[in-house]
Amino acid sequence: MMPAQRSELAEASLSTGPVGLEYPPDVRLVQRRPVSRLTIDDGTALDWLMSGTAASAGPAELLDGVIARLVAAGQPIERATLLMSTLHPQLLGITANWRGDLGVCDEVEVNAHVRETTDYLTSPLRPIIEEGRSIRVNPQDPVAQSTYPIMQTLAAAGYTDYWGFALKRDDRQFTLMTLATRQAGGFSRATIEAVEALRPALALNVEIVSRGKIAEHVLDAYLGRRIGKRVLAGDIRRGFGETIEAVIWVSDMRNFTSLSDRIDSAEMIRLLNAFFEGLVDAVHEQGGEVLKFVGDGMLAAFPIFGTQSAPAAAAAALAAARNGLVAVDSLNEAQSDEPSRDLSWRPLSMGIALHRGPVFFGNIGSRDRLDFTAIGRTVNLAARIEPLSKTTGRRLLLSDKVAELIGEPVEELGDFPIRGIPDPVSLFTVPEHGL
């Protein structure tokens, strides 16, 4: 990929053809919507921003609503971007990309580490984000192309004006917009004035939308996507919840207490973060939901509902468990980016138990301090099965309720007495890496 093409990563989009936008791994497409084809009879952008409708929209709907009305009023905008920061440990921000020529407006999430790339460092977005400066250049200008490599791509596409400006910037947050046109001579004074007249109302609406996204991402980071969305929707009454079928994951790190006594606290936190990162990624990649961390333990669920059948949930949980164990093995073998200078934690070991049954998803706690979690006999039994991974010498244990759903041969380990359970429980395992 040529540097000028790659530099479009800084704007969170790679234009690869006339039929649509494709995104690199650093960028996740959240939604794609067709651009609105409006007329002057649909009202002005200012009227729409002041109506209250825009504030209830998402980033892509907000950007499309404004730009489509400006275009209907005769403003020659052909490309626009709205970027807003968010409080999320893994995201630089949320971007809406409006492309009139492609007829799409996308909402994407941009990974935080993009900020460390050459693409970002040479992007026109950088001075807007870090200094609050406005940028206006002609992409056809060789000086602009050498300063901002993305201008080479825009120039090749025929663009004649690029304008970027901050809507808000402080020590914690930023929002910005960029506009581009192919019109000969670039944006006219009338277009600049029309956009400037919208900036106060636009900034207010973007602030409202941004705060909604921040709330969503904070809840996602601390509670998980499924639960976070429910809490944001208002499911916060103590005792509120529902009973669903799920495959439950319970995992635990071995020798955590002795490690905590032996390793410096700050380094232990780094080790736990590296440990959990591999497990959480494995669960999320298979559509599971991480519900809770308790010290070195983790509780996750693979719900059985809608199109997610019981065998599909079991297969997803098993794939996640295998991938999680691979991640722990990789952590043990890594030669660089060590999570701890004290390597006495090696080799790190763990156990995972998978069990299926009904669980109660809901709010528990006091009147002013709630926890949205999963409880019930299924969770309790999974938690009591997991320690048997030490007894059996197998890192991955399946209850009979999960083993019967697995579409591959399983190895029976025998019947085991479980504290609090009247009858022994049959446990099974499978090769960890599916070999």
Side-chain angles (χ1 to χ4, degrees):
M1 183 179 298
M2 297 296 291
Q5 293 174 311
R6 176 62 180 170
S7 69
E8 288 225 33
L9 175 57
E11 292 228 22
S13 66
L14 290 176
S15 180
T16 58
V19 296
L21 293 171
E22 293 183 5
Y23 295 97
D26 312 88
V27 178
R28 185 179 77 89
L29 178 64
V30 176
Q31 68 155 314
R32 169 164 291 168
R33 54 177 287 124
V35 300
S36 299
R37 305 297 184 184
L38 305 180
T39 69
I40 196 67
D41 294 332
D42 291 298
T44 68
L46 181 59
D47 288 342
W48 185 68
L49 289 170
M50 298 299 290
S51 70
T53 303
S56 62
E61 292 88 348
L62 175 59
L63 180 63
D64 178 55
V66 170
I67 301 302
R69 285 169 172 80
L70 286 170
V71 170
Q75 308 303 341
I77 300 170
E78 299 174 75
R79 176 182 177 127
T81 298
L82 176 64
L83 175 60
M84 56 184 69
S85 60
T86 185
L87 295 180
H88 191 287
Q90 295 179 327
L91 297 180
L92 170 65
I94 305 163
T95 298
N97 292 321
W98 190 93
R99 293 292 298 273
D101 56 342
L102 303 179
V104 297
C105 187
D106 289 350
E107 179 185 331
V108 299
E109 294 177 344
V110 186
N111 286 349
H113 65 76
V114 164
R115 208 164 188 165
E116 303 169 3
T117 66
T118 301
D119 304 307
Y120 172 80
L121 297 176
T122 60
S123 164
L125 299 187
R126 184 186 181 192
I128 306 175
I129 292 172
E130 298 182 4
E131 303 169 32
R133 287 200 286 127
S134 293
I135 299 293
R136 189 177 176 198
V137 296
N138 180 354
Q140 305 295 329
D141 182 358
V143 175
Q145 294 177 20
S146 63
T147 305
Y148 306 118
I150 189 178
M151 297 305 157
Q152 299 173 33
T153 303
L154 296 181
Y159 285 89
T160 57
D161 205 342
Y162 175 98
W163 179 26
F165 51 88
L167 293 167
K168 174 184 177 179
R169 180 187 173 275
D170 56 32
D171 293 339
R172 295 195 311 161
Q173 292 178 253
F174 64 84
T175 57
L176 64 87
M177 174 175 278
T178 71
L179 305 172
T181 185
R182 293 186 178 95
Q183 178 174 262
F187 290 123
S188 67
R189 178 179 294 275
T191 297
I192 299 299
E193 292 176 350
V195 174
E196 289 285 3
L198 290 178
R199 284 180 67 169
L202 178 59
L204 177 60
N205 279 271
V206 171
E207 173 76 3
I208 294 171
V209 173
S210 175
R211 286 182 180 274
K213 279 295 182 180
I214 287 172
E216 180 182 320
H217 284 146
V218 168
L219 288 172
D220 285 352
Y222 280 90
L223 301 179
R225 287 183 182 269
R226 174 183 169 85
I227 294 175
K229 284 179 172 54
R230 294 193 57 171
V231 171
L232 196 60
D235 293 344
I236 58 174
R237 189 175 72 255
R238 184 169 57 160
F240 177 87
E242 63 179 334
T243 298
I244 68 169
E245 284 280 321
V247 175
I248 293 296
W249 155 315
V250 172
S251 62
D252 187 66
M253 182 193 293
R254 297 285 171 262
N255 303 316
F256 175 71
T257 301
S258 63
L259 282 175
S260 299
D261 290 338
R262 194 168 65 246
I263 297 178
D264 175 80
S265 297
E267 294 199 6
M268 191 66 207
I269 290 294
R270 287 194 290 271
L271 177 59
L272 278 173
N273 286 341
F275 172 71
F276 282 131
E277 182 172 348
L279 300 184
V280 172
D281 286 350
V283 169
H284 285 171
E285 286 168 3
Q286 296 298 326
E289 186 81 18
V290 175
L291 304 177
K292 191 179 292 297
F293 302 106
V294 181
D296 59 320
M298 190 176 93
L299 172 65
F302 295 80
I304 301 169
F305 67 98
T307 59
Q308 177 86 323
S309 66
L318 178 58
R322 282 170 163 160
N323 292 339
L325 292 171
V326 169
V328 172
D329 291 341
S330 298
L331 185 62
N332 284 326
E333 298 166 3
Q335 299 300 314
S336 60
D337 298 325
E338 300 286 1
S340 170
R341 292 185 297 273
D342 182 350
L343 299 182
S344 63
W345 55 268
R346 284 183 169 172
L348 205 61
S349 185
M350 67 171 298
I352 300 175
L354 302 179
H355 180 48
R356 173 179 65 96
V359 295
F360 177 79
F361 274 91
N363 292 303
I364 61 172
S366 69
R367 288 189 298 270
D368 56 3
R369 178 63 174 90
L370 296 174
D371 188 16
F372 202 114
T373 188
I375 60 174
R377 293 181 179 178
T378 302
V379 177
N380 295 341
L381 181 52
R384 293 170 184 174
I385 290 174
E386 186 281 324
L388 293 174
S389 62
K390 289 183 284 188
T391 304
T392 61
R394 303 300 180 94
R395 297 193 298 179
L396 176 56
L397 297 180
L398 316 178
S399 73
D400 56 346
K401 299 296 185 181
V402 173
E404 66 188 16
L405 300 173
I406 300 300
E408 62 179 88
V410 296
E411 178 186 347
E412 185 171 2
L413 299 177
D415 296 334
F416 294 82
I418 303 289
R419 177 176 55 87
I421 305 298
D423 299 318
V425 174
S426 300
L427 297 182
F428 301 80
T429 192
V430 293
E432 290 182 6
H433 307 317
L435 301 176

